[in-house]
Amino acid sequence: MGKAAALCSGSTRGLVSILSAVPCLACKNPPGPGRPAGPVMSGGSEPGQAGRGGGAGLGVPAAPAGPGSDTYKGWLFKWTNYLKGYQRRWFVLSNGLLSYYRTQAEMAHTCRGTINLSTAHIDTEDSCNIVLSNGGRTYHLKASSEVERQRWVTALELAKAKAIRMRNNQSDDSGDEEPSSQSDKSELHSTLKSLASKLEDLSTCNDLIAKHGAALQRSLSELENLKLPAESGEKIKAVNERATLFRITSNAMINACRDFLELAESHSRKWQRALQYEREQRIRLEETIEQLAKQHNSLERACRGAPGLSSSATAASSTSKGSVQPAKGEASDEDEETEYFDAMEDAPAFITVTADPKHHRRSGSNLSGASEGHPEDCNLEDNVFESANQTGYNESTCKDVLPKKRRRTRIPDKPNYSLNLWSIMKNCIGKELSKIPMPVNFNEPLSMLQRLTEDLEYHELLDKAVKCESSTEQMCFVAAFSVSSYSTTVHRTAKPFNPLLGESYELDRLDELGFRSLCEQVSHHPPAAAHHVYSKRGWTLWQEITIASKFRGKYLSIMPLGAIHLEFHSSGNHYVWRKVTSTVHNIIVGKLWIDQSGDIEIVNHKSKDKCQLKFTPYSYFSRDVPRKVTGVVTDADGKAHYIMSGTWDENMECSKIVQSNHGSTSSEGKQKTVYQTLAPKVLWKKYPLPENAENMYFFSDLALTLNELEERVAPTDSRLRPDQRLMENGKWDEANVEKQRLEEKQRAVRRRREAEAVEALEEGKDYEGYIPLWFERKVDPLTGELICVYKGGYWEAKEKQDWDLCPDIF
C-alpha cells in the first residue's frame, strides 16, 4: 500500500498536468502553448470559411497542425504562367517536403507538385514574396501580408534545417541492413514492454483514484446530511460534482492509453509485414539486375563479334533514347498545363511470375515448343522472326520474293517556319467557322488515307500468323499487329491532310511484300475512310474508320470509331477489334506530345478466343513504364493461355501461361490472378527511324515512300494532291493557297449536291447523295453496323487505265 501511495503521490503532478489538458467535449483541438482553446483548423481556416478572410483571399493565417508538429498548412499564391499569373493554392509543409494542391480536397488523391527543402534555396524578394529553388525547379510564392510571409519563411527554414539533420543522420547510420533491422525489432519490443509497464502503473493509479474517490464521495455525502449553512452545502455539492468528473476523466484516460497500446501493437505487426515484403522485393530486384547484367555482358560480347549487328544495335539504341517524353521539370509539374491520371485506378488485374522452362517443356505448342524443332512452325524462338526484328522495312524474310523496286529513302527537310498565331487569327475575324482555312503549318505531307495505310508497316506479323495452327497463338500475333499500328504516332504530333470526298490512295506491293491496299474517302461530314487490304499470303483486312474529336482546353481527344476486320483464308478465323483513344496534350501552351489510352478487345468470331489489351495512360506519379500495354489471351472457355506485355511505341512480348491461381485481394476488393509463365518471347519490335528523321517529320521508312510519285495510279490518288505535294517540297505559302482553292472547290460541289437534294425533295424523288466509287455500303453481319466494303473494280480499272468514273476533285 505504501508503494502504491508513493507511486500515486509521485504521479500526482503528472496526472494533474494531463487532466488540465483534457478538452471540453465541444472542442476539436486540445489547447496548447500559443493556441486558443477553441476549434482551429490546420492551416488556420475554419470549416467552410477557407479563403474568406482577408482581402487577398488567403483566409486566416496558416498554423501548425499541433504543438511541436512539423506540419504547416495554408493558402499561398503561386506563379503559374504569363497567361494566368498568380493562382491561389493550398500548401502543405511536412517532413521536409513542401507540396501544393489546387484545393484542400485534392490532398486525398492528387499532389500538383513537391519540392525537397533539404537541398532547396529559400529567398525573399520583397515584403510578401518567397522564392524556392531546387535544381531546375523554382516556385515563386506570394503571401497575403508581410507577417504571413515571415511565418512561412520561419517554418520553411526550420523544416529545411531538420531535413538536413535527418539526411545526415541517415547517411551516418547507413550500415549493414540485417543487424539494424534486428536492433529495430528489439527496440520495438522494448518500447511496447515499456508502454505496457506504464499502462500497469496507470491502472494502479486508476484503482487508487477510484478507491479514494469513492471514499471522498461517501464523506461528502455524510457532510451533506449534516445540518450546515446553505452556502456550505452548495460548495460541498460543487466539490462532489468535481470529484465525479475527476473519476470519469481518469477512467477515460486509462481507456485511451489501453487503446493506444493495442493500436501500437497492431501497427507494429503491419509494419513488420510491410518491411519483410520490401526486403523480399529488394532481393528479387537484385537477382533480376544481376541476371540482366550477365545478359548485357554476353550481348556486348556477341555484338563485338558481329560488326554489322553492332551498328544496327547502336542505331536502335540511339533511336530509343531519343524518344519524346514530357519533361519532368518545372513545366511538367505545373498544374495548369498537365492532365494527370490516377495511377492506382489502373492497377493490373493480374501478376506474372516467370517459371523454369526446364520443368514446363511442352511439344503441343508452336510458341512454347520451339525447342522441339519444327522449322515449318511459326515459333517465337525462330531465327526467322528474330532476324525480321533486326531488319528494316525494305528487307524481307521470304526467299521467293522478286527483286524490289528501288524506293526513296528521304524527302526534303522540313522548313523552319515560325508559326505566327495572330497572322492566322486576324484573317478569321467575322468569318464562319467552316470557312476558316487552317494552314499547312499544322500538317505533315501525308493524307489521312496514307496514315491509315501506314498501319501495315508490320504486315509480316500477319504473314507469320497465317502459319500458326493454334488459334490462341495466332491471336498473339494479331494482338501484336494491333499494337504496332501506334508505334508511328509517338513523335508524329502534326496532323495529316483531311482527304477530299472521293479521294483515294493505293499501295500496290503485291510483288514485293505480298499485299495490295486501297483506301477511299467515302464521307466528308462526318469524315470517314474505307480501307481494304488483300494479301496473297493468306489474309484479308478491311475497315471503315470515322474520326471523332473533342477539344477539352488543355488536350485534344481523337476517338477512331468503327471496327477492324481481319480474316485468314485457310483457317477461316475472323478477328474484329476497335482502336483506342489518342490524346494530344499541351494544345495551348507547351510542347505537344501524344498518348494512347483505353482498352482493345480482339475477338475471334470463329473460335470465340479473346484478347483483352489495356493501354495504360501516362501518369506523372506512376512507377510503371510509360506507354505500357498489357493483355491476356483466353480461349472460348475463358481459360488464359498467354500474357501479352510491352509498350505501344517499342515492342510487344508474349509469355505462355503454365499455371494460374488466385492471389491477394486488392484495395478495391478485386482478387488478382497470379500467372506462372515461361520466359517471354519478342513478337514485335519497332524498326529504328531513318537517319535525319527529326527533319523529315519523324517519318518511318515506309512513310517516306507513301507519297512517292508512281505511274498508272488513279487521278484521285493522294500522291497527286497539289497542296500536299507543295508542302512536301517546302513551298508552304503556295501550299496554303492551293489548299484554300481545293477546299473552296469541295464546298461548291457540296452546295450543288444540297441544291440537287432540295430539288429532288420538291419533286418527290429520292436522292441518294454521294455514292462511293470503289466501296459499297452493307450491314456488317457480326457487328450490325452499316459499313463500306470493297466491291471490286479498282485493280481492273488500273490494269486497263480506265478512270472515266473518277471525279475531278483536284
Side-chain angles (χ1 to χ4, degrees), residues 360 656-661 674-677:
H360 299 283
K656 182 171 180 58
I657 298 172
V658 294
Q659 187 178 353
S660 64
N661 51 61
V674 179
Y675 293 119
Q676 192 174 13
T677 67

Side-chain angles (χ1 to χ4, degrees), residues 37 162 398 419 586 689:
K162 186 168 183 178
C398 294
L419 182 62
N586 294 341
L689 290 175

Side-chain angles (χ1 to χ4, degrees), residues 54-97:
L58 291 173
V60 186
S69 172
D70 295 331
T71 303
Y72 199 82
K73 306 176 183 178
W75 292 101
L76 287 173
F77 285 107
K78 180 182 179 298
W79 174 261
T80 57
N81 52 52
Y82 286 100
L83 293 176
K84 296 189 177 181
Y86 282 96
Q87 295 291 319
R88 186 168 172 266
R89 297 289 178 260
W90 178 254
F91 280 81
V92 177
L93 173 60
S94 178
N95 297 326
L97 299 174

Side-chain angles (χ1 to χ4, degrees), residues 341 580-583 595-599 615-618 648:
F341 298 89
V580 296
T581 299
S582 301
T583 307
D595 194 19
Q596 315 288 346
S597 59
D599 298 330
F615 288 64
T616 305
Y618 174 79
W648 54 262

Side-chain angles (χ1 to χ4, degrees), residues 499-555:
L500 303 173
L501 186 62
E503 185 175 335
S504 62
Y505 180 75
E506 68 157 77
L507 187 69
D508 190 355
R509 299 286 192 269
L510 196 63
D511 295 333
E512 301 171 55
L513 303 174
F515 72 88
R516 54 174 33 159
S517 165
L518 176 66
C519 291
E520 182 184 352
Q521 187 75 1
V522 295
S523 174
H524 189 64
H525 288 297
H531 186 203
H532 182 269
V533 188
Y534 167 78
S535 173
K536 66 180 183 182
R537 296 178 185 168
W539 54 269
T540 301
L541 181 145
W542 67 95
Q543 60 180 319
E544 181 184 352
I545 297 296
T546 301
I547 301 296
S549 61
K550 289 185 179 179
F551 180 60
R552 303 180 185 272
K554 293 186 293 184
Y555 62 95

Side-chain angles (χ1 to χ4, degrees), residues 438-458:
M438 292 301 293
V440 299
N441 306 54
F442 295 103
N443 289 30
E444 63 180 16
L446 288 178
S447 74
M448 189 63 200
L449 302 180
Q450 291 165 315
R451 284 291 292 268
L452 205 58
T453 307
E454 204 174 342
D455 290 353
L456 300 171
E457 180 153 11
Y458 299 95

Side-chain angles (χ1 to χ4, degrees), residues 327-563:
K328 293 188 180 178
E330 184 180 3
S332 179
D333 75 356
E334 181 47 53
D335 52 12
E336 299 301 323
E337 311 303 336
T338 308
E339 181 71 13
Y340 296 100
F341 298 89
D342 193 348
M344 296 304 294
E345 293 179 358
D346 297 325
F350 57 86
I351 303 170
T352 58
V353 180
T354 304
D356 188 356
K358 295 179 181 178
H359 303 296
H360 299 283
R361 196 181 292 270
R362 300 176 64 181
S363 60
S365 169
N366 289 332
L367 288 173
S368 60
S371 58
E372 305 300 322
H374 297 286
E376 70 275 7
D377 291 344
C378 53
N379 57 70
L380 301 184
E381 296 177 0
D382 228 339
N383 288 333
V384 174
F385 187 82
E386 292 178 0
S387 64
N389 283 332
Q390 300 291 335
T391 60
Y393 159 74
N394 287 323
E395 297 178 19
S396 177
T397 58
C398 294
K399 300 176 182 179
D400 58 346
V401 171
L402 296 175
K404 293 193 179 81
K405 176 183 175 181
R406 184 175 182 83
R407 303 194 181 275
R408 67 182 186 179
T409 58
R410 63 175 296 107
I411 59 174
D413 287 355
K414 177 182 178 181
N416 188 17
Y417 288 158
S418 59
L419 182 62
N420 187 348
L421 191 60
W422 171 244
S423 65
I424 301 170
M425 297 303 295
K426 68 181 181 181
N427 296 325
C428 303
I429 299 174
K431 290 186 178 181
E432 296 180 13
L433 290 177
S434 61
K435 294 184 178 180
I436 297 175
M438 292 301 293
V440 299
N441 306 54
F442 295 103
N443 289 30
E444 63 180 16
L446 288 178
S447 74
M448 189 63 200
L449 302 180
Q450 291 165 315
R451 284 291 292 268
L452 205 58
T453 307
E454 204 174 342
D455 290 353
L456 300 171
E457 180 153 11
Y458 299 95
H459 62 91
E460 68 271 9
L461 290 171
L462 302 183
D463 297 340
K464 289 182 174 294
V466 172
K467 303 175 185 177
C468 292
E469 297 177 359
S470 168
S471 60
T472 53
E473 294 172 5
Q474 191 177 70
M475 176 69 83
C476 295
F477 283 100
V478 174
F481 174 77
S482 68
V483 176
S484 69
S485 62
Y486 297 98
S487 63
T488 60
T489 65
V490 63
H491 304 299
R492 307 269 286 277
T493 55
K495 65 180 289 289
F497 279 78
N498 291 328
L500 303 173
L501 186 62
E503 185 175 335
S504 62
Y505 180 75
E506 68 157 77
L507 187 69
D508 190 355
R509 299 286 192 269
L510 196 63
D511 295 333
E512 301 171 55
L513 303 174
F515 72 88
R516 54 174 33 159
S517 165
L518 176 66
C519 291
E520 182 184 352
Q521 187 75 1
V522 295
S523 174
H524 189 64
H525 288 297
H531 186 203
H532 182 269
V533 188
Y534 167 78
S535 173
K536 66 180 183 182
R537 296 178 185 168
W539 54 269
T540 301
L541 181 145
W542 67 95
Q543 60 180 319
E544 181 184 352
I545 297 296
T546 301
I547 301 296
S549 61
K550 289 185 179 179
F551 180 60
R552 303 180 185 272
K554 293 186 293 184
Y555 62 95
L556 177 70
S557 295
I558 303 169
M559 294 153 286
L561 308 176

